[in-house]
Amino acid sequence: MDKNRVIIFDTTLRDGEQSPGASMNLEEKLKIAKVLEDMGVDVIEAGFPIASNGDFEAVNEIAKTVTNATIAGLARATKADIERCAEAIKPAARGRIHTFISTSPLHMKYKLQMEPEKVLAKVVESVSYARNFTDDVEWSAEDGSRTEHDFLCRCVEAAIKAGARTINIPDTVGYAVPDEYAALIRMLFNRVPNIDQAIISVHCHNDLGLAVANSLAAVQAGARQVECTINGLGERAGNAAMEEIVMALRTRADHIPYTTGIKTEHITKASRLVSTVTGFVVQPNKAIVGANAFAHESGIHQDGMLKNAQTYEIMTPESVGLTRSTLVMGKHSGRAAFKSKLKELGYELGENAIEDAFVRFKDLADRKKDVFDEDIVALVDDEVLRSNDRIRFVSLEVVCGSKHRPPRATLELEVDGETKQCESTGDGPVDATFNCIKELVPHNARLQLYQVHAVTQGTDAQAEVTVRLEEDGKTVNGQGADTDTLVASARAYVTALNKLLVKREKTAPQALSA
């Protein structure tokens, strides 16, 4: 392997899905996996097979579908976990078992309730057992950044000797700072005698906002695999954002002379897809993929941009797959033009899906004066990703206003193929709409978040609504888009309910990793 090549290990489908509300169904995971493969991601961590039948199926199907990337599954240091993981990745052209155990004094004492020597024995036992199923075994020292150096060196040496070819040193709780973390990686290179037989990997969380900085510092210290997620998705404050790491390496090659195999022009598409699937809206000022990342309002900045874009842009929008077209589609646009636009935006859809999306596009164009790329992205994502949902939105009519008290909603849904209709009132039009949904699909979920933002500018802009529901400790997010905010709200709530049906099947193990 090229000594300056950094392996990109994407864990959006595993660690990213551990974010409260970020549950994904099989179809959604397959779509994201395909986008990751097209991007050139080296390793896709597809899930935690022992967690549930749904997780096992997702890893197994991705292993059957993806051919260019290595497919990894996560396993605790137990034979049952490892066997389940091995079975899930079995169809993969290249499969990896990623096994882990905590090594910090805090975790060993309170989480594992095990003595260090027993942990060390578990490291050897788990890696050796995993090697019975594949030559590609990765071992992680959970809470590695808070592990005593002597013990960490012993564990790393033992894991490599047992057959691990990738050693991951996670900053599990986002506690490290860049110079300290880089020193930790250098220490391992200096003290572990067989370190040259493995690739050193890093997996950084963002609790102090340092995940990307720590990852890059580790690369400079010798790490050659970075574990990351699209949009920085992940539990608590998230993981290191893949798009930031990749673009930092590309933009500052003069200072960080390392390369990846990522086709950066796919970044925006991947970011939008993950946002739509999970319901996690990307903040406007997010680096690389935020709505304002290439926007300039200051007069001084605009003047500089007009003279030379490099005055205020250190990378081009096109380099991350962002198009800058304004009005290019309208109500007179035909199927051929619409199909061409979808291809330009990175969508490869079947004829039936294109026809369904085209019908919604024409409806949108009749209601909206200017149709922007962002409108089409919101429309297509909302339509295509919901194709296999058990609950589908059909129609909504609301009567409200100062002269109509209380507001009244009439809603029609399709539930498991059966059309159902109801009428309900509420404190406001949104409340009335949601009461209708509760009547048609009875549930005890609690509304945690209701958020609206405009996809584009103008009073006729599509509203994109995010709804978060919580039931028995399980949290899900749903998104919906429409020029009618109430319709978008109904779509978002229905999407969240569909995700809740998936989430009910998941019973994650107690010990989740890094």
Side-chain angles (χ1 to χ4, degrees):
M1 188 183 118
D2 181 354
K3 65 179 182 180
N4 290 328
R5 172 75 150 75
V6 175
I7 296 168
I8 297 298
F9 176 113
D10 185 276
T11 184
T12 303
L13 299 177
R14 199 278 300 170
D15 200 332
E17 199 192 21
Q18 288 176 205
S19 304
S23 182
M24 310 173 204
N25 62 33
L26 174 60
E27 183 186 10
E28 291 166 343
K29 281 196 168 189
L30 284 169
K31 286 182 183 296
I32 292 174
K34 187 67 175 76
V35 168
L36 294 175
E37 181 182 33
D38 291 344
M39 284 181 73
V41 167
D42 300 290
V43 184
I44 299 173
E45 188 167 50
F48 203 164
I50 198 74
S52 67
N53 289 333
D55 241 36
F56 175 88
E57 184 184 7
V59 176
N60 193 245
E61 287 299 319
I62 290 169
K64 293 174 184 176
T65 305
V66 172
T67 57
N68 296 328
T70 296
I71 304 304
L74 189 68
R76 293 166 299 181
T78 68
K79 288 188 175 181
D81 274 41
I82 292 167
E83 288 168 0
R84 188 69 167 160
C85 185
E87 184 65 25
I89 66 168
K90 194 173 182 179
R94 287 180 293 278
R96 173 180 297 185
I97 294 175
H98 179 191
T99 185
F100 70 96
I101 193 168
S102 295
T103 54
S104 70
L106 190 67
H107 277 221
M108 288 190 293
K109 181 178 180 179
Y110 293 104
K111 177 181 169 182
L112 300 180
Q113 297 181 337
M114 292 172 63
E115 293 299 319
E117 292 305 316
K118 286 190 176 181
V119 170
L120 182 60
K122 272 287 186 183
V123 172
V124 175
E125 177 188 312
S126 59
V127 172
S128 299
Y129 192 62
R131 277 300 300 263
N132 292 324
F133 302 98
T134 177
D135 291 338
D136 192 347
V137 174
E138 175 173 342
W139 176 76
S140 284
E142 185 175 11
D143 206 22
S145 60
R146 295 193 296 177
T147 298
E148 293 176 342
H149 286 193
D150 288 349
F151 185 63
L152 184 60
C153 287
R154 291 178 66 200
C155 288
V156 169
E157 182 179 359
I160 296 173
K161 188 175 180 180
R165 291 297 169 257
T166 301
I167 298 293
N168 184 40
I169 311 297
D171 183 27
T172 301
V173 293
Y175 184 72
V177 295
D179 61 338
E180 173 190 45
Y181 196 52
L184 176 64
I185 301 302
R186 290 193 190 96
M187 181 275 297
L188 291 173
F189 276 103
N190 290 332
R191 293 184 54 185
V192 177
N194 56 357
I195 196 81
D196 60 322
Q197 296 175 27
I199 292 169
I200 300 303
S201 173
V202 290
H203 177 124
C204 297
H205 278 262
N206 206 37
D207 298 70
L208 293 176
L210 296 171
V212 170
N214 283 333
S215 298
L216 293 174
V219 168
Q220 290 179 298
R224 288 297 177 267
Q225 177 176 284
V226 174
E227 305 193 1
C228 46
T229 61
I230 299 293
N231 297 339
L233 190 68
E235 54 190 340
R236 302 188 314 279
N239 288 274
M242 189 236 276
E243 61 277 4
E244 295 177 25
I245 290 168
V246 169
M247 291 310 294
L249 292 174
R250 172 171 167 162
T251 305
R252 291 308 312 273
D254 59 323
H255 187 69
I256 318 173
Y258 308 102
T259 62
T260 72
I262 298 297
K263 302 178 184 72
T264 62
E265 295 78 13
H266 293 244
I267 284 175
T268 296
K269 177 185 176 182
S271 171
R272 287 169 172 169
L273 176 62
V274 170
S275 177
T276 301
V277 164
T278 61
F280 279 57
V281 178
V282 176
Q283 66 190 61
N285 62 329
K286 165 76 170 65
I288 315 298
V289 293
N292 292 346
F294 296 94
H296 306 273
E297 188 168 329
S298 161
I300 295 174
H301 286 204
Q302 289 175 345
D303 179 65
M305 285 292 296
L306 291 171
K307 292 172 180 174
N308 187 322
Q310 291 182 343
T311 54
Y312 288 102
E313 286 186 352
I314 59 173
M315 66 196 89
T316 67
E318 292 78 13
S319 69
V320 297
L322 187 67
T323 59
R324 283 193 155 185
S325 55
T326 53
L327 175 63
V328 291
M329 300 292 290
K331 64 181 181 180
H332 300 298
S333 299
R335 283 177 178 78
F338 181 68
K339 191 173 181 179
S340 176
K341 170 53 66 176
L342 290 180
K343 190 171 183 179
E344 177 188 325
L345 293 172
Y347 291 97
E348 296 289 343
L349 307 180
E351 288 302 319
N352 290 339
I354 290 175
E355 184 60 31
D356 291 342
F358 181 69
V359 170
R360 283 197 65 192
F361 160 71
K362 295 294 277 189
D363 180 56
L364 176 66
D366 282 336
R367 290 179 286 138
K368 194 175 187 299
K369 181 181 178 182
D370 295 338
V371 181
F372 296 88
D373 286 355
E374 292 85 351
D375 291 311
I376 296 174
V377 168
L379 178 152
V380 173
D381 284 345
D382 189 52
E383 179 72 22
V384 174
L385 290 171
R386 306 277 72 84
S387 58
N388 290 330
D389 284 346
R390 289 178 56 189
I391 311 166
R392 293 176 63 84
F393 172 85
V394 178
S395 67
L396 173 68
E397 184 177 339
V398 178
V399 178
C400 62
S402 58
K403 293 184 179 180
H404 297 279
R405 295 288 183 182
R408 181 174 298 275
T410 303
L411 177 70
E412 189 174 333
L413 297 179
E414 188 181 286
V415 183
D416 290 329
E418 179 185 351
T419 300
K420 296 184 176 183
Q421 189 179 68
C422 83
E423 189 175 279
S424 188
T425 60
D427 291 337
V430 174
D431 188 48
T433 300
F434 288 178
N435 285 340
C436 269
I437 298 174
K438 291 175 187 176
E439 185 175 328
L440 293 178
V441 188
H443 60 276
N444 297 318
R446 184 172 63 89
L447 181 66
Q448 282 192 330
L449 173 72
Y450 173 75
Q451 180 176 291
V452 182
H453 84 277
V455 174
T456 56
Q457 69 271 23
T459 56
D460 63 349
Q462 283 195 97
E464 193 165 63
V465 176
T466 301
V467 164
R468 180 176 298 159
L469 300 178
E470 183 273 330
E471 179 187 73
D472 298 330
K474 297 180 176 70
T475 308
V476 293
N477 290 340
Q479 277 188 331
D482 198 274
T483 53
D484 186 319
T485 304
L486 296 176
V487 172
S489 300
R491 288 182 179 275
Y493 200 110
V494 166
T495 298
L497 274 182
N498 278 300
K499 287 180 173 290
L500 195 60
L501 297 178
V502 175
K503 196 81 168 181
R504 284 172 178 171
E505 300 174 1
K506 291 183 179 289
T507 54
Q510 291 181 343
L512 291 178
S513 153

